[in-house]
Amino acid sequence: MTDKKKIVVLTHGGAGSDPAHADGTAIAGQMCMMSLQTGESIIDAACQAVATLEDDGRFNAGIGSHKRSDGTVEMDASCMNSTGTFGAVAALDGFKNPIHVARLVSQSEYRVLAGRGAAEFALNQGFQPITPDEIANTGKDFSTTDTVGCVVQAGDEFAAALSTGGIDEAIPGRVGDVPLIGCGLYAGPAGAVAATGDGEAIAMQVTALRAYQLIEQGMDPKVIVPTVTGWFKESTAFGLIVVSKTGFAGGSNRGMAWTASEMAL
Ligand code: GLY
């Protein structure tokens, strides 16, 4: 009989999301678990969780994405695993599940595709664009919400995935931390990290890589979350989910819907 693998999945709906919407992050975690149970890879399972959050409509990603100042929708998404796979899209104009496009970029010769090229890549891969009218985030004040994310442990492997509709009313072309490796997310043999919040501040701190280095130094995730949150001013929205071989944790200096679940597989 083979030993069972420890599975840990954390999902978040973004710094500033309503903690009462944790039903959405819980369902995303369940979708991730089901993907692993059906034999999908850990990075595909993390992307499945994020696609579920993109489809929710209450979070700033996928059909819940904020609009730019000109009324367009531009999305960023990324995924990474602990064996050196990374892919991202930036300023991708109006697709329902940018995380699935980022995953296909990770399987291509490229690491990041942006703007018109990312949209052409998505169309060539068979993705259907959506119009700003098909975005669910209309007439509701979700303007403070930010990014969805997932980190996963499956035995000795780790993965992370992120997706965002970016900043409400930002100028077209603005790109935050999500598609920048080591800024919004990082995964390595010691664990995985996914951040949320002010993308410019997160990028300038190279947040995810530096949080990952704290895991490598042996710091417990329950200490990493408040430590890394302390790198940011209170006026700067920030949140983090972390999983390592020794534990997991999540938190934000704003409200945040997030969920953790464990099983053996
Ligand atoms: N954290 C997502 C963004 O600022 O775009």
Side-chain angles (χ1 to χ4, degrees), residues 146-147 164 166 174 176-178 197 199:
D146 175 84
T147 311
T164 186
R174 178 268 176 189
D177 57 299
V178 166

Side-chain angles (χ1 to χ4, degrees), residues 60 68 76 145-148 162-167 174-179 184 195-202 237:
N60 178 16
R68 296 290 83 79
D76 303 334
T145 67
D146 175 84
T147 311
V148 299
L162 286 177
S163 182
T164 186
I167 295 181
R174 178 268 176 189
V175 170
D177 57 299
V178 166
T196 167
D198 181 319
E200 280 72 9
I202 292 169

Side-chain angles (χ1 to χ4, degrees), residues 61-265:
I63 63 164
S65 290
H66 294 167
K67 292 179 184 170
R68 296 290 83 79
S69 57
D70 63 355
T72 61
V73 178
E74 289 180 340
M75 302 153 165
D76 303 334
S78 61
C79 56
M80 184 172 186
N81 68 14
S82 50
T83 51
T85 299
F86 174 83
V89 289
L92 174 65
D93 201 358
F95 283 83
K96 190 166 168 282
N97 292 117
I99 190 63
H100 289 327
V101 186
R103 174 65 178 124
L104 285 172
V105 173
S106 80
Q107 292 166 303
S108 77
E109 66 194 283
Y110 306 108
R111 299 283 67 82
V112 184
L113 290 177
R116 183 170 56 84
E120 276 176 18
F121 176 85
L123 289 171
N124 289 339
Q125 297 287 341
F127 290 94
Q128 293 299 317
I130 56 172
T131 66
D133 292 342
E134 292 172 272
I135 295 293
N137 187 9
T138 48
K140 294 180 188 162
D141 182 15
F142 295 138
S143 58
T144 57
T145 67
D146 175 84
T147 311
V148 299
C150 176
V151 292
V152 190
Q153 175 186 12
D156 289 335
E157 291 181 282
F158 294 90
L162 286 177
S163 182
T164 186
I167 295 181
D168 204 30
E169 296 287 321
I171 64 167
R174 178 268 176 189
V175 170
D177 57 299
V178 166
L180 307 179
I181 190 168
C183 294
L185 96 184
Y186 198 81
V193 175
T196 167
D198 181 319
E200 280 72 9
I202 292 169
M204 292 308 289
Q205 292 275 6
V206 198
T207 304
L209 177 61
R210 290 176 59 217
Y212 176 79
Q213 288 168 340
L214 296 178
I215 300 176
E216 288 185 314
Q217 289 162 23
M219 191 181 278
D220 189 273
K222 288 188 172 50
V223 180
I224 291 174
V225 170
T227 299
V228 175
T229 304
W231 297 346
F232 297 88
K233 294 179 195 158
E234 277 181 29
S235 56
T236 301
F238 181 72
L240 194 67
I241 50 175
V242 181
V243 64
S244 76
K245 286 182 179 162
T246 59
F248 61 85
S252 173
N253 61 10
R254 300 290 186 276
M256 183 167 85
W258 73 279
T259 321
S261 46
E262 292 180 87
M263 70 172 183
L265 185 64

